[in-house]
Amino acid sequence: MKLDSPYNGSGSLTREQFLFYEMRTTAKLMSEGMSDGETIRKIERENLFQYPTEKSVKGMARTCIARIHAMKNSSLTQALATQPSEVAKQICLYAIMKQRCLVWDFMVTVIGEKYRLMDTSFGKIDLNTFFMRLQEQDDSVAAWSVSTVAKIKQVLVKILVENEYLDSIKANHINPVWLNPMLENEIRSNGDELALPAFNCFN
């Protein structure tokens, strides 16, 4: 197994999910100037994620902080905390793309390509083809269990539903999405133009 795989850690997506509420909560604390440690302590102490047990809170807080840092953009941290939820969700999607190579590749090579070709169909075949290609080119992905792959597929579909690319987990077509201009500008200023097709942005 290759230890330097860009997909290392992607298996944890089965636990982490999209985390919109948690990301927004974390971004608010970070944009107030709290350090990572202070942010984690406050989330834990006040149970700001409203989880039933403390056990998972610290891990999820760390995940949210890692995602926010992955954007390397304080303007987007602020916007994630303050913008209307549809804009904040797009920022959240960009953050998970930046943190998880697998989500980036899926959004760009599958969803972005659909928009490029004006192909609105979507189904299991798209997910299966994406994972078959990954497994052929990456030993660490090839080593994942069938159940891990199935769960990651579910997470990817839920991310699409959460961001209104799909109407439901059973939907068989992709909706057009519109990228918020502020986020488009920040993606460009980050040098991430390759991500734009994932947001149906080709200008």
Side-chain angles (χ1 to χ4, degrees), residues 1-2 5 7-8 11 131 134-149 152:
M1 190 192 295
K2 280 188 271 183
S5 164
Y7 304 104
N8 276 347
F131 275 94
L134 282 193
Q135 286 167 331
E136 282 166 11
Q137 68 190 32
D138 192 287
D139 295 344
S140 67
V141 179
W144 290 350
S145 69
V146 173
S147 66
T148 294
V149 172
I152 294 175

Side-chain angles (χ1 to χ4, degrees), residues 13-152:
L13 274 169
T14 56
R15 281 193 316 279
E16 292 166 2
Q17 315 275 327
F18 188 57
L19 303 176
F20 175 62
Y21 172 78
E22 294 88 339
M23 286 285 287
R24 206 150 158 80
T25 304
T26 306
K28 280 178 182 159
L29 299 178
M30 291 172 74
S31 61
E32 286 165 12
M34 284 195 182
S35 71
D36 294 355
E38 288 167 338
T39 300
I40 291 168
R41 282 192 291 278
K42 186 173 175 71
I43 290 167
E44 257 196 313
R45 195 170 58 243
E46 299 179 22
N47 191 17
L48 296 181
F49 290 171
Q50 299 173 357
Y51 286 177
T53 62
E54 273 179 37
K55 191 177 67 169
S56 53
V57 174
K58 187 182 277 187
M60 286 307 179
R62 283 204 182 102
T63 295
C64 291
I65 288 168
R67 266 184 212 173
I68 289 166
H69 283 317
M71 294 191 293
K72 299 188 172 87
N73 189 307
S74 57
S75 303
L76 288 182
T77 306
Q78 188 77 36
L80 178 53
T82 57
Q83 288 286 324
S85 66
E86 64 270 20
V87 181
K89 279 185 180 177
Q90 283 195 332
I91 296 168
C92 215
L93 175 55
Y94 175 58
I96 194 172
M97 285 170 67
K98 288 286 284 178
Q99 188 213 16
R100 292 283 176 225
C101 184
L102 184 140
V103 181
W104 175 288
D105 285 358
F106 173 73
M107 290 304 301
V108 172
T109 66
V110 179
I111 304 303
E113 198 55 20
K114 293 255 176 206
Y115 285 135
R116 193 191 306 280
L117 300 171
M118 298 183 187
D119 171 10
T120 60
S121 69
F122 183 79
K124 283 182 181 161
I125 188 165
D126 296 299
L127 290 158
N128 293 343
T129 305
F130 172 68
F131 275 94
M132 272 166 49
R133 185 169 53 76
L134 282 193
Q135 286 167 331
E136 282 166 11
Q137 68 190 32
D138 192 287
D139 295 344
S140 67
V141 179
W144 290 350
S145 69
V146 173
S147 66
T148 294
V149 172
K151 283 177 187 161
I152 294 175

Side-chain angles (χ1 to χ4, degrees), residues 115 120 163-165 173-178 199-200:
Y115 285 135
T120 60
N163 287 275
E164 297 180 8
Y165 286 77
H173 71 275
I174 297 175
N175 300 318
V177 295
W178 286 272
F199 298 91
N200 194 21

